[in-house]
Amino acid sequence: MTRAAASPPPPAPVHYTVRVADAAAHRFEVELAIARPAATQRVSLPAWIPGSYLIREFARHLSGLRASQGRAPRAVEQIDKATWDIACDPRRPLVLRYAVHAFDDSVRTAWLDAQRGFFNGTSLLLRVHGQEDGAHALTVPPPAAQRHHQRDWQLATAMTPARVDRRGFGRYQAADYDELVDHPVEMGAFWSGRFTAAGVPHRFVVAGAPASFDGERLLRDAQKICETAIRFWHGAKPPPMPHYVFMLNAVHDGYGGLEHRASTALICNRADLPRHGAPAGAAAVGDGYVTLLGLVSHEYFHTWNVKRLRPAEFARVDYARENYTRLLWFFEGFTSYYDDLLLRRAGLIDDAAYLKLLTKTANQVLQAPGRHAQSVAQASFDAWVRYYRPDENTPNSTISYYTKGALVALCFDLTLRQEGRATLDDAMRALWRRCAGGPMREDDFAAVLAELGGRGFEREIAAWVHGTGELPLKDLLHAHGVEVREEPSQWAQALGLRVAEGAGGITLKVVLAGGPAARAGMAAGDEWLGVELPPRKGAAPEGWRLARLDELPLYAGAARQVTALVARDQRLLRLPLALPRAATTWRLRPREGAGERAWPGR
């Protein structure tokens, strides 16, 4: 049974066939047929995937590229690391064949084993230069049953089907190359469920789910998220996508997502899935499941905010090199603000849970010295070399455009609400209309704020987006009935450290600039062995072995100065360490007697 007319679809100018060649060896085989090639036909594989701002060199996984016209082989000349030229007869179809190694179990590339297959087009499908804007077709035949359970494999994608079987295998079509590679493909014996939101059919597929998985609850909660997001952007009007697919890979330890125009690829911890018999209600939702719902909300909000409304620099993607923008604070940060907020509006979490999530975001920013070193606009521009390439100095040299961007959104929202003329919700919808759901610039955001707010917001944009000063969070939160309580922090934060603790002791991963550990001369990679206390009157110095940081007050007692015993490159060091008297972390809670305010979550 097929989902298309019985007659075969017309041939596409560019047609790919992706086969499961050897699941045990993680190898896909790809055949690319070009109906009307150029005399010297150039092809290339993207170096990155939109939404993940790092050059990933996908071509390193491609091998065995060969070309032919009929039975005649054609020479393939490699031009650079990801580009090839083929001299051929432009009057005859050209066929390329190659293999791709697929062993990256993330949302960004491709994976294949006996249990599951997944790929993004940017990892498998060569771009045919000169024909990017024409129609493309993709055929994925069902895999040969190399393992018994592969007979139960299905295929899920948001790409438009042309002629597919009841399991989803067959031929799909796309209007151009950009659309082709913006539809990831999931294969396997996955769990699948469906729901409708605002009249739009949605599908949710889950790979790796255990027997305890409560799929019906996930469908109900995802439906609430989708309906809330659609109402946010369009009210009672239909959304821009005709259908939508969630592809979730549940693993032992993993987290992440990548947005696409009509789908998203997600990874979560298997333990975070909803379970049969778990208590229902917003107050009973566990932290792990809230994390998963927040991920679903984040990637779904991207359907509007970055996939359609997007930086002007992304109006036409260049797949071969970095595409720079200073607007990720808006597209990732504002999305991060709304992902948790929409969970509250959907009734999936209560006020206490929402403030707990907001507390976590605020502390992540306040505990990063890099917020004083780099603005969120500059951090957006540097994403290619900083955010996606973190090292031991990253918290000191940059700030996350996700977390600080979310706080910038909060500040704009609360300021607009406090002044009583508009909300950030209004500004987002006005931007959508102003830019026709397409490319935008920072000037568009400023213009919308001025129009809705009745004044210019140049000062706030300069300070919050392009500056490195503190955000006015306390005052704005207080004005909206939220109290900021400062409570004692953990020892790692008080000392300015991020550590790994295990059977081998304490290893320093990050030393935060300006903290007591940095002033003492500690460095990332040090092993903190113990402490030595100043000698008491008439007694020898005391030395203690440390297994965990929280043992420090046990051994230090009332001492304010100790000597840290550290191993670095097999050398033992004695570093003078001043113990902090007090360090605090934030906790947000409703302010007593504040009453009902124009709080964004309501």
Side-chain angles (χ1 to χ4, degrees):
M1 183 176 180
T2 65
R3 283 184 263 167
S7 58
V14 180
H15 189 171
Y16 305 81
T17 301
V18 174
R19 293 183 174 87
V20 174
D22 190 337
H26 320 292
R27 190 175 74 248
F28 286 110
E29 286 186 355
V30 183
E31 180 181 290
L32 166 56
I34 307 168
R36 296 180 294 276
T40 300
Q41 181 61 66
R42 176 161 292 188
V43 296
S44 65
L45 198 66
W48 69 291
I49 182 169
S52 183
Y53 307 103
L54 178 68
I55 297 298
R56 297 189 181 275
E57 313 291 14
F58 297 131
R60 63 198 171 100
H61 300 301
L62 186 151
S63 62
L65 178 60
R66 58 200 187 278
S68 63
Q69 288 186 296
R71 295 184 178 182
R74 299 299 182 210
V76 177
E77 179 185 4
Q78 187 163 4
I79 303 304
D80 61 26
K81 60 188 177 183
T83 307
W84 296 263
D85 280 351
I86 302 98
C88 59
D89 181 350
R91 298 167 298 178
R92 302 174 62 194
L94 174 67
V95 177
L96 307 181
R97 295 178 177 87
Y98 54 94
V100 176
H101 182 69
F103 198 59
D104 182 348
D105 194 13
S106 76
V107 297
R108 299 177 296 264
T109 53
W111 171 267
L112 180 63
D113 67 4
Q115 285 71 46
R116 173 178 176 262
F118 172 82
F119 66 85
N120 288 286
T122 45
S123 290
L124 262 68
L125 307 180
L126 287 167
R127 180 166 60 99
V128 181
H129 290 226
Q131 300 196 38
E132 297 94 334
D133 296 332
H136 287 59
L138 170 67
T139 295
V140 183
Q146 298 171 349
R147 298 289 187 274
H148 177 73
H149 54 264
Q150 286 181 315
R151 300 171 186 169
D152 300 325
W153 275 29
Q154 303 175 69
L155 184 148
T157 181
M159 198 179 305
T160 302
R163 187 178 179 86
V164 301
D165 65 20
R166 59 183 179 81
R167 294 190 294 159
F169 291 98
R171 178 172 166 173
Y172 293 83
Q173 59 192 24
D176 51 37
Y177 184 78
D178 287 342
E179 180 182 328
L180 176 79
V181 299
D182 206 14
H183 290 301
V185 173
E186 175 79 27
M187 295 181 287
F190 46 70
W191 177 92
S192 178
R194 300 177 187 271
F195 62 88
T196 299
V200 174
H202 288 62
R203 185 183 186 188
F204 214 124
V205 302
V206 182
S212 61
F213 169 53
D214 186 350
E216 293 305 313
R217 180 172 183 180
L218 181 60
L219 290 180
R220 290 194 303 270
D221 293 344
Q223 183 182 37
K224 292 177 182 178
I225 292 170
C226 297
E227 289 175 341
T228 303
I230 293 170
R231 283 196 302 271
F232 174 93
W233 287 102
H234 304 291
K237 296 179 180 179
M241 63 285 192
H243 53 263
Y244 195 90
V245 180
F246 293 95
M247 306 174 198
L248 174 60
N249 182 26
V251 298
H252 175 67
D253 184 17
Y255 173 83
L258 191 61
E259 66 276 1
H260 300 276
R261 67 182 64 191
S263 63
T264 181
L266 309 169
I267 289 181
C268 78
N269 289 343
R270 196 170 286 120
D272 292 346
L273 291 171
R275 304 180 194 182
H276 291 293
V285 180
D287 289 348
Y289 187 44
V290 170
T291 298
L292 172 57
L293 293 178
L295 178 63
V296 169
S297 179
H298 184 97
E299 301 304 334
Y300 195 70
F301 199 82
H302 271 319
T303 308
W304 294 267
N305 199 39
V306 89
K307 292 311 299 183
R308 289 171 174 84
L309 187 66
R310 61 192 185 277
E313 297 89 344
F314 292 0
R316 185 64 187 259
V317 173
D318 184 343
Y319 294 99
R321 56 187 54 82
E322 295 90 343
N323 290 219
Y324 292 101
T325 179
R326 287 182 168 84
L327 287 176
L328 294 182
W329 58 270
F330 180 88
F331 290 100
E332 291 294 355
F334 280 38
T335 299
S336 295
Y337 173 60
Y338 277 109
D339 58 20
D340 292 335
L341 191 56
L342 293 190
L343 295 186
R344 178 65 193 97
R345 292 181 182 175
L348 295 171
I349 58 175
D350 56 18
D351 282 346
Y354 175 69
L355 289 178
K356 182 179 178 181
L357 293 169
L358 191 57
T359 296
K360 179 180 178 181
T361 300
N363 283 323
Q364 286 175 333
V365 173
L366 294 171
Q367 294 168 6
R371 72 188 189 280
H372 297 306
Q374 196 171 47
S375 69
V376 284
Q378 188 61 38
S380 299
F381 194 84
D382 282 349
W384 299 89
V385 294
R386 290 182 185 264
Y387 186 82
Y388 282 89
R389 292 178 177 173
D391 58 29
E392 75 289 341
N393 194 49
T394 294
N396 298 322
S397 63
T398 190
I399 189 65
S400 168
Y401 47 78
Y402 284 87
T403 52
K404 188 176 179 182
L407 297 184
V408 169
L410 174 67
C411 288
F412 277 116
D413 200 4
L414 298 186
T415 298
L416 289 166
R417 291 171 184 271
Q418 188 174 23
E419 295 179 4
R421 297 176 65 101
T423 69
L424 188 61
D425 298 8
D426 300 323
M428 298 297 286
R429 290 188 285 265
L431 264 175
W432 179 267
R433 294 190 297 270
R434 175 186 175 92
C435 301
M440 66 160 276
R441 300 183 184 277
E442 185 181 298
D443 289 348
D444 293 310
F445 180 59
V448 162
L449 290 178
E451 178 185 352
L452 296 177
R455 67 172 179 87
F457 280 76
E458 295 84 2
R459 180 177 60 84
E460 287 86 353
I461 292 174
W464 303 346
V465 174
H466 297 281
T468 57
E470 300 290 9
L471 298 173
L473 289 169
K474 279 189 178 181
D475 291 343
L476 288 171
L477 289 167
H478 186 271
H480 287 81
V482 177
E483 176 186 8
V484 177
R485 287 196 172 184
E486 297 193 11
E487 300 179 342
S489 65
Q490 299 293 320
W491 270 100
Q493 186 59 39
L495 292 168
L497 289 173
R498 296 178 185 176
V499 304
E501 296 177 329
I506 304 167
T507 301
L508 310 190
K509 309 302 288 186
V510 171
V511 178
L512 298 175
R519 291 193 293 270
M522 291 183 171
D526 287 353
E527 181 186 359
W528 191 350
L529 303 175
V531 292
E532 189 177 84
L533 276 61
R536 300 176 185 176
K537 188 174 181 180
E542 292 184 6
W544 297 94
R545 170 76 172 174
L546 288 180
R548 301 185 312 275
L549 267 186
D550 61 12
E551 294 178 344
L552 186 57
L554 170 67
Y555 297 126
R560 309 313 309 167
Q561 185 81 26
V562 300
T563 298
L565 306 177
V566 168
R568 182 184 302 164
D569 191 27
Q570 301 301 309
R571 180 176 295 178
L572 297 179
L573 305 176
R574 301 175 74 253
L575 304 177
L577 175 64
L579 298 182
R581 292 190 177 277
T584 59
T585 187
W586 280 19
R587 184 164 70 91
L588 306 182
R589 52 170 291 170
R591 184 161 54 85
E592 294 182 6
E596 288 292 321
R597 300 278 179 155
W599 179 247
R602 300 197 176 109

